[in-house]
């Protein structure tokens, strides 16, 4: 696994991009930056075992290198379904082919905008830290299309960085997240540079805002099933 050193020399005035430099170190970046990331992948596999239906489609929207896609394939016992893995980054899709070589099976990688992707006959949809990178105006419409494209009883897994309604708690959670990064050998300079690069690129919301959007979109049931500091994963059932 290539080590993430992107922000040791990155120009802090350059916004974060899912380019070839990031794609090359992305697994290490996720492992060291997102607390609970491995647990979210493990649970996606467990949820796939319960919710993936034979003859259906599953979607990994904002798939990066396809980790969630692979978790669905490995977790499900159904022999007859396909995973449509979508990302708008050419670098991510290209490296995804290499990462998944020999184990792609029924995973179809597509370079496309998730906002323009047709969702149909879906038993499971995953957005693993994807919605936060979309403009706020498009999030409601996407959730509505996902819900409409799910079969009755179909599942959405939505993982996001969030902000807390209580400013005091938000300050604490941000500090705990930065401490997590320091324990994973990121320097203070790297942490500051990446935070600056993500400013106005990653726009987090509250858990309440996410759940309200899901309910408005038509999901019958929603719940937070995983939280680690200011990172959460929500499941929603149509």
């Amino acid at each position: 696994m290539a080590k993430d050193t992107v922000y040791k020399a990155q120009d802090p005035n350059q916004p974060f991009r899912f380019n070839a430099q990031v794609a090359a170190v992305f697994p290490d970046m996720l492992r060291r930056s997102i607390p609970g990331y491995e647990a979210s992948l493990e649970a996606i596999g467990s949820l796939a075992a319960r919710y993936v239906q034979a003859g259906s489609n599953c979607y990994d929207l904002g798939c990066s290198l396809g980790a969630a896609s692979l978790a669905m394939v490995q977790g499900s016992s159904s022999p007859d379904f396909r995973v449509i893995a979508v990302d708008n980054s050419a670098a991510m899709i290209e490296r995804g082919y290499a990462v998944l070589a020999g184990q792609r099976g029924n995973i179809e990688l597509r370079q496309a905008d998730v906002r323009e992707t047709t969702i149909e006959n879906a038993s499971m949809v995953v957005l693993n830290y994807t919605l936060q990178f979309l403009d706020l105006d498009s999030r409601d419409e996407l959730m509505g299309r996902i819900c409409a494209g799910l079969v009755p009883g179909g599942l959405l897994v939505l993982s996001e960085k969030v902000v807390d309604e209580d400013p005091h708690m938000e300050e604490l959670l941000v500090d705990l997240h930065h401490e997590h990064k320091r324990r994973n050998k990121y320097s203070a300079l790297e942490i500051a540079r990446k935070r600056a690069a993500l400013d106005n690129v990653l726009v987090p919301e509250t858990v309440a805002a996410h759940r309200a959007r899901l309910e408005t979109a038509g999901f019958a049931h929603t719940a937070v099933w995983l939280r680690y500091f200011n990172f959460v994963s929500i499941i929603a059932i149509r």
Side-chain angles (χ1 to χ4, degrees), residues 164-228:
D164 200 89
E165 293 91 342
D166 183 332
H168 178 82
M169 297 307 296
E170 171 62 13
E171 183 179 356
L172 171 62
L173 291 168
V174 169
D175 188 56
L176 289 170
H177 179 217
H178 289 172
E179 177 60 29
H180 172 84
K181 288 187 172 184
R182 288 190 287 270
R183 289 198 308 271
N184 282 304
K185 309 303 181 184
Y186 281 119
S187 68
L189 179 62
E190 287 176 287
I191 293 169
R193 282 177 170 172
K194 187 172 184 182
R195 187 176 190 184
L198 285 168
D199 190 36
N200 296 321
V201 175
L202 188 163
V203 181
E205 299 178 272
T206 64
V207 171
H210 283 297
R211 295 189 69 174
R213 178 182 292 117
L214 292 168
E215 291 167 9
T216 299
F219 286 94
H221 308 282
T222 68
V224 174
W225 65 270
L226 175 68
R227 177 158 191 164
Y228 200 142

Short mmCIF file of all heavy atoms in Angstrom, two decimals, residues 164-228:
data_model
loop_
_atom_site.label_atom_id
_atom_site.label_comp_id
_atom_site.label_asym_id
_atom_site.label_seq_id
_atom_site.Cartn_x
_atom_site.Cartn_y
_atom_site.Cartn_z
N ASP A 164 -21.72 18.86 13.93
CA ASP A 164 -22.63 18.74 15.06
C ASP A 164 -23.38 20.05 15.26
O ASP A 164 -22.84 21.14 15.02
CB ASP A 164 -21.85 18.38 16.33
CG ASP A 164 -22.75 17.79 17.40
OD1 ASP A 164 -22.93 16.56 17.39
OD2 ASP A 164 -23.29 18.56 18.21
N GLU A 165 -24.64 19.94 15.71
CA GLU A 165 -25.46 21.13 15.94
C GLU A 165 -24.91 21.98 17.08
O GLU A 165 -25.10 23.20 17.11
CB GLU A 165 -26.90 20.73 16.27
CG GLU A 165 -27.66 20.10 15.12
CD GLU A 165 -27.52 18.59 15.08
OE1 GLU A 165 -26.58 18.06 15.73
OE2 GLU A 165 -28.33 17.94 14.40
N ASP A 166 -24.21 21.36 18.01
CA ASP A 166 -23.65 22.05 19.18
C ASP A 166 -22.23 22.51 18.83
O ASP A 166 -21.34 21.67 18.64
CB ASP A 166 -23.64 21.09 20.37
CG ASP A 166 -23.14 21.74 21.65
OD1 ASP A 166 -22.33 22.70 21.58
OD2 ASP A 166 -23.52 21.27 22.73
N PRO A 167 -21.97 23.81 18.73
CA PRO A 167 -20.63 24.29 18.35
C PRO A 167 -19.53 23.78 19.27
O PRO A 167 -18.41 23.50 18.81
CB PRO A 167 -20.76 25.81 18.43
CG PRO A 167 -22.22 26.07 18.25
CD PRO A 167 -22.92 24.92 18.90
N HIS A 168 -19.81 23.65 20.56
CA HIS A 168 -18.80 23.14 21.49
C HIS A 168 -18.44 21.70 21.15
O HIS A 168 -17.25 21.34 21.12
CB HIS A 168 -19.33 23.23 22.93
CG HIS A 168 -18.37 22.69 23.95
ND1 HIS A 168 -17.31 23.43 24.45
CD2 HIS A 168 -18.30 21.46 24.55
CE1 HIS A 168 -16.63 22.69 25.31
NE2 HIS A 168 -17.20 21.49 25.40
N MET A 169 -19.45 20.87 20.88
CA MET A 169 -19.19 19.48 20.54
C MET A 169 -18.54 19.36 19.17
O MET A 169 -17.69 18.49 18.95
CB MET A 169 -20.49 18.67 20.58
CG MET A 169 -21.14 18.61 21.95
SD MET A 169 -19.98 18.03 23.25
CE MET A 169 -19.64 16.35 22.67
N GLU A 170 -18.90 20.25 18.26
CA GLU A 170 -18.27 20.22 16.93
C GLU A 170 -16.78 20.51 17.05
O GLU A 170 -15.96 19.84 16.43
CB GLU A 170 -18.93 21.26 16.02
CG GLU A 170 -18.24 21.48 14.68
CD GLU A 170 -18.20 20.25 13.80
OE1 GLU A 170 -18.91 19.26 14.07
OE2 GLU A 170 -17.44 20.27 12.81
N GLU A 171 -16.42 21.48 17.88
CA GLU A 171 -15.00 21.79 18.09
C GLU A 171 -14.27 20.59 18.68
O GLU A 171 -13.14 20.26 18.27
CB GLU A 171 -14.88 22.99 19.01
CG GLU A 171 -13.44 23.44 19.24
CD GLU A 171 -13.35 24.66 20.14
OE1 GLU A 171 -14.40 25.21 20.52
OE2 GLU A 171 -12.21 25.06 20.46
N LEU A 172 -14.91 19.90 19.63
CA LEU A 172 -14.30 18.71 20.23
C LEU A 172 -14.12 17.60 19.20
O LEU A 172 -13.05 16.97 19.13
CB LEU A 172 -15.18 18.22 21.39
CG LEU A 172 -14.79 16.86 21.99
CD1 LEU A 172 -13.40 16.92 22.60
CD2 LEU A 172 -15.83 16.42 23.02
N LEU A 173 -15.14 17.34 18.40
CA LEU A 173 -15.07 16.26 17.42
C LEU A 173 -14.01 16.53 16.36
O LEU A 173 -13.30 15.61 15.93
CB LEU A 173 -16.45 16.08 16.76
CG LEU A 173 -17.54 15.52 17.67
CD1 LEU A 173 -18.91 15.65 17.02
CD2 LEU A 173 -17.25 14.07 18.05
N VAL A 174 -13.89 17.77 15.93
CA VAL A 174 -12.83 18.12 14.97
C VAL A 174 -11.46 17.89 15.58
O VAL A 174 -10.56 17.34 14.94
CB VAL A 174 -12.99 19.59 14.51
CG1 VAL A 174 -11.75 20.05 13.72
CG2 VAL A 174 -14.24 19.74 13.64
N ASP A 175 -11.30 18.29 16.84
CA ASP A 175 -10.02 18.10 17.51
C ASP A 175 -9.69 16.61 17.66
O ASP A 175 -8.55 16.18 17.46
CB ASP A 175 -10.03 18.77 18.88
CG ASP A 175 -8.65 18.77 19.52
OD1 ASP A 175 -7.69 19.27 18.89
OD2 ASP A 175 -8.51 18.23 20.64
N LEU A 176 -10.70 15.80 17.99
CA LEU A 176 -10.49 14.35 18.10
C LEU A 176 -10.11 13.74 16.76
O LEU A 176 -9.27 12.84 16.69
CB LEU A 176 -11.75 13.69 18.66
CG LEU A 176 -12.07 13.96 20.13
CD1 LEU A 176 -13.46 13.47 20.48
CD2 LEU A 176 -11.02 13.30 21.03
N HIS A 177 -10.73 14.24 15.69
CA HIS A 177 -10.38 13.75 14.36
C HIS A 177 -8.94 14.10 14.01
O HIS A 177 -8.19 13.27 13.48
CB HIS A 177 -11.33 14.34 13.32
CG HIS A 177 -11.04 13.90 11.93
ND1 HIS A 177 -11.17 14.73 10.83
CD2 HIS A 177 -10.61 12.71 11.43
CE1 HIS A 177 -10.84 14.06 9.75
NE2 HIS A 177 -10.49 12.84 10.07
N HIS A 178 -8.53 15.32 14.33
CA HIS A 178 -7.14 15.71 14.05
C HIS A 178 -6.16 14.88 14.89
O HIS A 178 -5.08 14.53 14.41
CB HIS A 178 -6.95 17.19 14.33
CG HIS A 178 -7.63 18.06 13.31
ND1 HIS A 178 -7.74 19.43 13.44
CD2 HIS A 178 -8.25 17.75 12.15
CE1 HIS A 178 -8.38 19.91 12.40
NE2 HIS A 178 -8.70 18.91 11.61
N GLU A 179 -6.55 14.57 16.12
CA GLU A 179 -5.71 13.71 16.95
C GLU A 179 -5.60 12.32 16.34
O GLU A 179 -4.53 11.69 16.38
CB GLU A 179 -6.28 13.64 18.37
CG GLU A 179 -5.52 12.71 19.30
CD GLU A 179 -4.06 13.10 19.48
OE1 GLU A 179 -3.74 14.31 19.36
OE2 GLU A 179 -3.24 12.20 19.71
N HIS A 180 -6.70 11.84 15.77
CA HIS A 180 -6.68 10.55 15.07
C HIS A 180 -5.66 10.58 13.93
O HIS A 180 -4.89 9.64 13.74
CB HIS A 180 -8.08 10.26 14.53
CG HIS A 180 -8.16 9.06 13.63
ND1 HIS A 180 -8.30 7.78 14.10
CD2 HIS A 180 -8.11 8.95 12.26
CE1 HIS A 180 -8.34 6.93 13.08
NE2 HIS A 180 -8.23 7.62 11.97
N LYS A 181 -5.64 11.67 13.20
CA LYS A 181 -4.68 11.80 12.11
C LYS A 181 -3.24 11.87 12.64
O LYS A 181 -2.33 11.27 12.06
CB LYS A 181 -4.99 13.05 11.28
CG LYS A 181 -6.23 12.93 10.41
CD LYS A 181 -6.35 14.15 9.51
CE LYS A 181 -7.46 13.98 8.49
NZ LYS A 181 -7.52 15.11 7.56
N ARG A 182 -3.05 12.58 13.73
CA ARG A 182 -1.70 12.67 14.30
C ARG A 182 -1.22 11.30 14.76
O ARG A 182 -0.04 10.95 14.57
CB ARG A 182 -1.68 13.67 15.45
CG ARG A 182 -1.79 15.13 15.03
CD ARG A 182 -1.53 16.08 16.18
NE ARG A 182 -2.63 16.10 17.13
CZ ARG A 182 -3.67 16.92 17.06
NH1 ARG A 182 -3.77 17.77 16.06
NH2 ARG A 182 -4.62 16.89 17.98
N ARG A 183 -2.11 10.51 15.33
CA ARG A 183 -1.74 9.16 15.74
C ARG A 183 -1.39 8.28 14.53
O ARG A 183 -0.63 7.32 14.67
CB ARG A 183 -2.88 8.50 16.53
CG ARG A 183 -3.09 9.08 17.92
CD ARG A 183 -3.89 8.13 18.80
NE ARG A 183 -5.13 7.71 18.16
CZ ARG A 183 -6.29 8.36 18.26
NH1 ARG A 183 -6.36 9.48 18.96
NH2 ARG A 183 -7.37 7.90 17.67
N ASN A 184 -1.94 8.64 13.39
CA ASN A 184 -1.64 7.90 12.17
C ASN A 184 -0.52 8.55 11.36
O ASN A 184 -0.40 8.33 10.15
CB ASN A 184 -2.91 7.76 11.31
CG ASN A 184 -3.82 6.67 11.83
OD1 ASN A 184 -3.41 5.52 11.98
ND2 ASN A 184 -5.06 7.03 12.12
N LYS A 185 0.31 9.34 12.06
CA LYS A 185 1.57 9.86 11.52
C LYS A 185 1.40 10.94 10.46
O LYS A 185 2.29 11.14 9.63
CB LYS A 185 2.44 8.72 10.95
CG LYS A 185 2.64 7.55 11.91
CD LYS A 185 3.25 7.98 13.22
CE LYS A 185 3.47 6.79 14.16
NZ LYS A 185 3.96 7.21 15.49
N TYR A 186 0.28 11.66 10.49
CA TYR A 186 0.20 12.88 9.69
C TYR A 186 0.75 14.03 10.52
O TYR A 186 0.45 14.15 11.72
CB TYR A 186 -1.24 13.20 9.31
CG TYR A 186 -1.79 12.40 8.15
CD1 TYR A 186 -2.89 11.56 8.32
CD2 TYR A 186 -1.23 12.50 6.88
CE1 TYR A 186 -3.41 10.83 7.27
CE2 TYR A 186 -1.74 11.78 5.82
CZ TYR A 186 -2.83 10.95 6.01
OH TYR A 186 -3.33 10.23 4.95
N SER A 187 1.54 14.90 9.90
CA SER A 187 2.08 16.05 10.61
C SER A 187 1.03 17.14 10.71
O SER A 187 0.02 17.15 10.00
CB SER A 187 3.30 16.59 9.86
OG SER A 187 2.91 17.17 8.62
N ALA A 188 1.28 18.10 11.61
CA ALA A 188 0.37 19.24 11.75
C ALA A 188 0.26 20.01 10.44
O ALA A 188 -0.81 20.50 10.08
CB ALA A 188 0.86 20.15 12.88
N LEU A 189 1.37 20.11 9.71
CA LEU A 189 1.35 20.81 8.42
C LEU A 189 0.48 20.08 7.41
O LEU A 189 -0.32 20.69 6.70
CB LEU A 189 2.78 20.94 7.88
CG LEU A 189 2.92 21.65 6.53
CD1 LEU A 189 2.42 23.08 6.61
CD2 LEU A 189 4.37 21.62 6.06
N GLU A 190 0.61 18.75 7.34
CA GLU A 190 -0.21 17.97 6.42
C GLU A 190 -1.70 18.11 6.76
O GLU A 190 -2.54 18.27 5.86
CB GLU A 190 0.19 16.50 6.48
CG GLU A 190 1.52 16.18 5.82
CD GLU A 190 1.90 14.72 6.01
OE1 GLU A 190 2.26 14.35 7.15
OE2 GLU A 190 1.82 13.96 5.03
N ILE A 191 -2.02 18.07 8.04
CA ILE A 191 -3.42 18.19 8.47
C ILE A 191 -3.97 19.55 8.08
O ILE A 191 -5.08 19.66 7.54
CB ILE A 191 -3.53 17.97 9.99
CG1 ILE A 191 -3.18 16.51 10.34
CG2 ILE A 191 -4.94 18.31 10.48
CD1 ILE A 191 -3.01 16.27 11.83
N ALA A 192 -3.20 20.60 8.33
CA ALA A 192 -3.66 21.96 8.01
C ALA A 192 -3.81 22.15 6.50
O ALA A 192 -4.78 22.77 6.04
CB ALA A 192 -2.67 22.98 8.57
N ARG A 193 -2.85 21.64 5.73
CA ARG A 193 -2.92 21.80 4.27
C ARG A 193 -4.11 21.06 3.67
O ARG A 193 -4.80 21.57 2.79
CB ARG A 193 -1.62 21.32 3.63
CG ARG A 193 -0.47 22.30 3.74
CD ARG A 193 0.81 21.74 3.17
NE ARG A 193 1.84 22.76 3.05
CZ ARG A 193 3.10 22.51 2.71
NH1 ARG A 193 3.49 21.26 2.49
NH2 ARG A 193 3.97 23.50 2.62
N LYS A 194 -4.36 19.85 4.16
CA LYS A 194 -5.49 19.10 3.61
C LYS A 194 -6.80 19.76 4.01
O LYS A 194 -7.74 19.83 3.20
CB LYS A 194 -5.47 17.65 4.09
CG LYS A 194 -6.55 16.81 3.39
CD LYS A 194 -6.44 15.35 3.69
CE LYS A 194 -7.46 14.55 2.90
NZ LYS A 194 -7.41 13.10 3.22
N ARG A 195 -6.89 20.26 5.23
CA ARG A 195 -8.13 20.93 5.65
C ARG A 195 -8.39 22.14 4.78
O ARG A 195 -9.53 22.40 4.36
CB ARG A 195 -8.02 21.34 7.12
CG ARG A 195 -9.32 21.90 7.67
CD ARG A 195 -9.23 22.21 9.15
NE ARG A 195 -10.56 22.52 9.69
CZ ARG A 195 -10.78 22.91 10.94
NH1 ARG A 195 -9.76 23.02 11.78
NH2 ARG A 195 -12.00 23.17 11.36
N ALA A 196 -7.34 22.88 4.45
CA ALA A 196 -7.50 24.05 3.58
C ALA A 196 -7.91 23.63 2.18
O ALA A 196 -8.75 24.28 1.54
CB ALA A 196 -6.20 24.85 3.53
N ALA A 197 -7.33 22.53 1.68
CA ALA A 197 -7.65 22.06 0.33
C ALA A 197 -9.10 21.59 0.21
O ALA A 197 -9.72 21.70 -0.84
CB ALA A 197 -6.70 20.93 -0.06
N LEU A 198 -9.64 21.07 1.32
CA LEU A 198 -11.02 20.56 1.31
C LEU A 198 -12.06 21.64 1.56
O LEU A 198 -13.26 21.41 1.38
CB LEU A 198 -11.18 19.45 2.36
CG LEU A 198 -10.56 18.10 2.01
CD1 LEU A 198 -10.53 17.20 3.24
CD2 LEU A 198 -11.33 17.43 0.87
N ASP A 199 -11.62 22.81 1.99
CA ASP A 199 -12.54 23.89 2.29
C ASP A 199 -13.35 24.26 1.05
O ASP A 199 -12.79 24.52 -0.02
CB ASP A 199 -11.78 25.11 2.80
CG ASP A 199 -12.69 26.17 3.37
OD1 ASP A 199 -13.71 25.81 3.98
OD2 ASP A 199 -12.38 27.37 3.19
N ASN A 200 -14.67 24.24 1.17
CA ASN A 200 -15.61 24.52 0.08
C ASN A 200 -15.65 23.45 -1.00
O ASN A 200 -16.37 23.59 -1.99
CB ASN A 200 -15.30 25.88 -0.57
CG ASN A 200 -15.49 27.04 0.38
OD1 ASN A 200 -16.43 27.05 1.18
ND2 ASN A 200 -14.59 28.01 0.32
N VAL A 201 -14.86 22.38 -0.83
CA VAL A 201 -14.95 21.22 -1.74
C VAL A 201 -15.77 20.13 -1.07
O VAL A 201 -16.68 19.54 -1.67
CB VAL A 201 -13.53 20.70 -2.09
CG1 VAL A 201 -13.62 19.42 -2.93
CG2 VAL A 201 -12.75 21.77 -2.85
N LEU A 202 -15.46 19.85 0.19
CA LEU A 202 -16.24 18.92 1.01
C LEU A 202 -17.13 19.77 1.91
O LEU A 202 -16.63 20.51 2.75
CB LEU A 202 -15.32 18.02 1.83
CG LEU A 202 -15.93 16.85 2.61
CD1 LEU A 202 -14.82 15.86 3.00
CD2 LEU A 202 -16.67 17.29 3.87
N VAL A 203 -18.45 19.68 1.72
CA VAL A 203 -19.39 20.49 2.49
C VAL A 203 -20.26 19.56 3.34
O VAL A 203 -21.21 18.95 2.84
CB VAL A 203 -20.27 21.35 1.58
CG1 VAL A 203 -21.23 22.21 2.41
CG2 VAL A 203 -19.41 22.23 0.67
N PRO A 204 -19.94 19.42 4.63
CA PRO A 204 -20.70 18.50 5.49
C PRO A 204 -22.00 19.11 5.99
O PRO A 204 -22.17 20.34 6.00
CB PRO A 204 -19.73 18.23 6.64
CG PRO A 204 -18.95 19.51 6.75
CD PRO A 204 -18.82 20.04 5.35
N GLU A 205 -22.91 18.23 6.41
CA GLU A 205 -24.18 18.65 6.97
C GLU A 205 -24.39 17.94 8.31
O GLU A 205 -23.61 17.07 8.69
CB GLU A 205 -25.33 18.32 6.02
CG GLU A 205 -25.24 19.02 4.67
CD GLU A 205 -26.37 18.61 3.76
OE1 GLU A 205 -26.22 17.60 3.04
OE2 GLU A 205 -27.42 19.29 3.76
N THR A 206 -25.47 18.27 8.99
CA THR A 206 -25.78 17.60 10.24
C THR A 206 -26.47 16.26 9.96
O THR A 206 -27.02 16.04 8.88
CB THR A 206 -26.71 18.45 11.11
OG1 THR A 206 -27.97 18.60 10.43
CG2 THR A 206 -26.11 19.82 11.41
N VAL A 207 -26.45 15.39 10.96
CA VAL A 207 -27.17 14.12 10.83
C VAL A 207 -28.65 14.38 10.62
O VAL A 207 -29.31 13.72 9.81
CB VAL A 207 -26.94 13.25 12.08
CG1 VAL A 207 -27.85 12.03 12.07
CG2 VAL A 207 -25.48 12.81 12.17
N ALA A 208 -29.19 15.36 11.33
CA ALA A 208 -30.62 15.68 11.19
C ALA A 208 -30.97 16.09 9.77
O ALA A 208 -32.02 15.70 9.24
CB ALA A 208 -30.99 16.79 12.17
N ALA A 209 -30.09 16.87 9.13
CA ALA A 209 -30.34 17.29 7.75
C ALA A 209 -30.34 16.09 6.81
O ALA A 209 -31.18 15.99 5.90
CB ALA A 209 -29.29 18.30 7.32
N HIS A 210 -29.42 15.16 7.02
CA HIS A 210 -29.38 13.96 6.17
C HIS A 210 -30.64 13.12 6.35
O HIS A 210 -31.25 12.66 5.37
CB HIS A 210 -28.15 13.12 6.51
CG HIS A 210 -26.88 13.65 5.95
ND1 HIS A 210 -26.64 13.76 4.60
CD2 HIS A 210 -25.74 14.10 6.57
CE1 HIS A 210 -25.43 14.26 4.39
NE2 HIS A 210 -24.87 14.48 5.58
N ARG A 211 -31.06 12.92 7.58
CA ARG A 211 -32.22 12.07 7.83
C ARG A 211 -33.50 12.73 7.31
O ARG A 211 -34.39 12.06 6.76
CB ARG A 211 -32.34 11.74 9.31
CG ARG A 211 -31.18 10.88 9.81
CD ARG A 211 -31.38 10.36 11.22
NE ARG A 211 -32.45 9.36 11.28
CZ ARG A 211 -32.73 8.67 12.38
NH1 ARG A 211 -32.05 8.87 13.49
NH2 ARG A 211 -33.72 7.79 12.38
N ALA A 212 -33.58 14.05 7.44
CA ALA A 212 -34.75 14.76 6.91
C ALA A 212 -34.81 14.63 5.39
O ALA A 212 -35.89 14.43 4.81
CB ALA A 212 -34.69 16.24 7.31
N ARG A 213 -33.65 14.73 4.73
CA ARG A 213 -33.61 14.58 3.27
C ARG A 213 -34.05 13.18 2.86
O ARG A 213 -34.80 13.01 1.88
CB ARG A 213 -32.20 14.88 2.76
CG ARG A 213 -32.06 14.68 1.24
CD ARG A 213 -30.66 14.93 0.74
NE ARG A 213 -30.31 16.34 0.86
CZ ARG A 213 -29.34 16.80 1.63
NH1 ARG A 213 -28.62 15.95 2.39
NH2 ARG A 213 -29.08 18.09 1.70
N LEU A 214 -33.59 12.18 3.56
CA LEU A 214 -33.94 10.79 3.22
C LEU A 214 -35.44 10.56 3.39
O LEU A 214 -36.07 9.89 2.57
CB LEU A 214 -33.14 9.83 4.10
CG LEU A 214 -31.63 9.79 3.83
CD1 LEU A 214 -30.91 9.02 4.93
CD2 LEU A 214 -31.33 9.17 2.47
N GLU A 215 -36.01 11.09 4.45
CA GLU A 215 -37.44 10.93 4.68
C GLU A 215 -38.25 11.66 3.61
O GLU A 215 -39.25 11.14 3.10
CB GLU A 215 -37.80 11.42 6.08
CG GLU A 215 -37.24 10.51 7.18
CD GLU A 215 -37.30 11.13 8.56
OE1 GLU A 215 -37.93 12.21 8.69
OE2 GLU A 215 -36.72 10.55 9.50
N THR A 216 -37.80 12.85 3.22
CA THR A 216 -38.47 13.59 2.16
C THR A 216 -38.39 12.85 0.83
O THR A 216 -39.32 12.87 0.03
CB THR A 216 -37.85 15.00 2.01
OG1 THR A 216 -38.02 15.72 3.24
CG2 THR A 216 -38.50 15.78 0.89
N ALA A 217 -37.25 12.17 0.61
CA ALA A 217 -37.06 11.43 -0.64
C ALA A 217 -37.98 10.22 -0.74
O ALA A 217 -38.19 9.70 -1.84
CB ALA A 217 -35.60 10.98 -0.76
N GLY A 218 -38.51 9.76 0.40
CA GLY A 218 -39.44 8.65 0.36
C GLY A 218 -39.01 7.40 1.09
O GLY A 218 -39.70 6.38 1.04
N PHE A 219 -37.88 7.46 1.80
CA PHE A 219 -37.44 6.28 2.54
C PHE A 219 -38.33 6.09 3.77
O PHE A 219 -38.66 7.04 4.48
CB PHE A 219 -35.98 6.43 2.97
CG PHE A 219 -35.01 6.26 1.84
CD1 PHE A 219 -34.54 7.36 1.13
CD2 PHE A 219 -34.58 4.99 1.47
CE1 PHE A 219 -33.66 7.21 0.07
CE2 PHE A 219 -33.70 4.83 0.40
CZ PHE A 219 -33.23 5.93 -0.30
N ALA A 220 -38.71 4.84 4.01
CA ALA A 220 -39.63 4.53 5.10
C ALA A 220 -38.93 4.49 6.45
O ALA A 220 -39.54 4.80 7.48
CB ALA A 220 -40.33 3.20 4.83
N HIS A 221 -37.67 4.08 6.48
CA HIS A 221 -36.94 3.90 7.74
C HIS A 221 -35.51 4.38 7.56
O HIS A 221 -34.87 4.08 6.54
CB HIS A 221 -36.93 2.43 8.15
CG HIS A 221 -38.28 1.79 8.17
ND1 HIS A 221 -39.19 1.98 9.20
CD2 HIS A 221 -38.89 0.96 7.28
CE1 HIS A 221 -40.28 1.30 8.95
NE2 HIS A 221 -40.13 0.68 7.80
N THR A 222 -34.99 5.10 8.54
CA THR A 222 -33.59 5.53 8.53
C THR A 222 -33.01 5.37 9.93
O THR A 222 -33.72 5.46 10.93
CB THR A 222 -33.43 7.01 8.11
OG1 THR A 222 -33.98 7.86 9.12
CG2 THR A 222 -34.11 7.28 6.78
N ALA A 223 -31.71 5.12 9.98
CA ALA A 223 -31.03 5.01 11.27
C ALA A 223 -29.54 5.22 11.09
O ALA A 223 -28.96 4.84 10.06
CB ALA A 223 -31.28 3.64 11.90
N VAL A 224 -28.90 5.82 12.08
CA VAL A 224 -27.44 5.87 12.15
C VAL A 224 -26.98 4.54 12.73
O VAL A 224 -27.37 4.18 13.84
CB VAL A 224 -26.96 7.04 13.03
CG1 VAL A 224 -25.44 6.98 13.21
CG2 VAL A 224 -27.37 8.37 12.42
N TRP A 225 -26.17 3.81 12.00
CA TRP A 225 -25.72 2.51 12.49
C TRP A 225 -24.24 2.52 12.86
O TRP A 225 -23.74 1.59 13.50
CB TRP A 225 -25.99 1.40 11.47
CG TRP A 225 -25.22 1.54 10.20
CD1 TRP A 225 -25.59 2.22 9.08
CD2 TRP A 225 -23.93 1.02 9.92
NE1 TRP A 225 -24.61 2.17 8.12
CE2 TRP A 225 -23.57 1.43 8.61
CE3 TRP A 225 -23.03 0.24 10.65
CZ2 TRP A 225 -22.36 1.10 8.02
CZ3 TRP A 225 -21.82 -0.09 10.05
CH2 TRP A 225 -21.50 0.34 8.76
N LEU A 226 -23.53 3.58 12.48
CA LEU A 226 -22.11 3.67 12.83
C LEU A 226 -21.74 5.14 12.98
O LEU A 226 -22.08 5.97 12.12
CB LEU A 226 -21.24 3.03 11.73
CG LEU A 226 -19.72 3.15 11.90
CD1 LEU A 226 -19.26 2.31 13.10
CD2 LEU A 226 -18.99 2.68 10.64
N ARG A 227 -21.05 5.46 14.07
CA ARG A 227 -20.51 6.81 14.23
C ARG A 227 -19.17 6.73 14.93
O ARG A 227 -19.01 6.00 15.92
CB ARG A 227 -21.45 7.70 15.04
CG ARG A 227 -20.84 9.10 15.27
CD ARG A 227 -21.85 10.16 15.58
NE ARG A 227 -21.20 11.49 15.52
CZ ARG A 227 -21.83 12.63 15.45
NH1 ARG A 227 -23.16 12.65 15.43
NH2 ARG A 227 -21.17 13.79 15.40
N TYR A 228 -18.21 7.48 14.41
CA TYR A 228 -16.89 7.58 15.02
C TYR A 228 -16.46 9.04 14.88
O TYR A 228 -16.16 9.50 13.78
CB TYR A 228 -15.92 6.65 14.29
CG TYR A 228 -14.65 6.27 15.05
CD1 TYR A 228 -14.13 5.00 14.96
CD2 TYR A 228 -13.96 7.21 15.82
CE1 TYR A 228 -12.96 4.64 15.62
CE2 TYR A 228 -12.80 6.86 16.48
CZ TYR A 228 -12.30 5.58 16.38
OH TYR A 228 -11.14 5.23 17.04
#
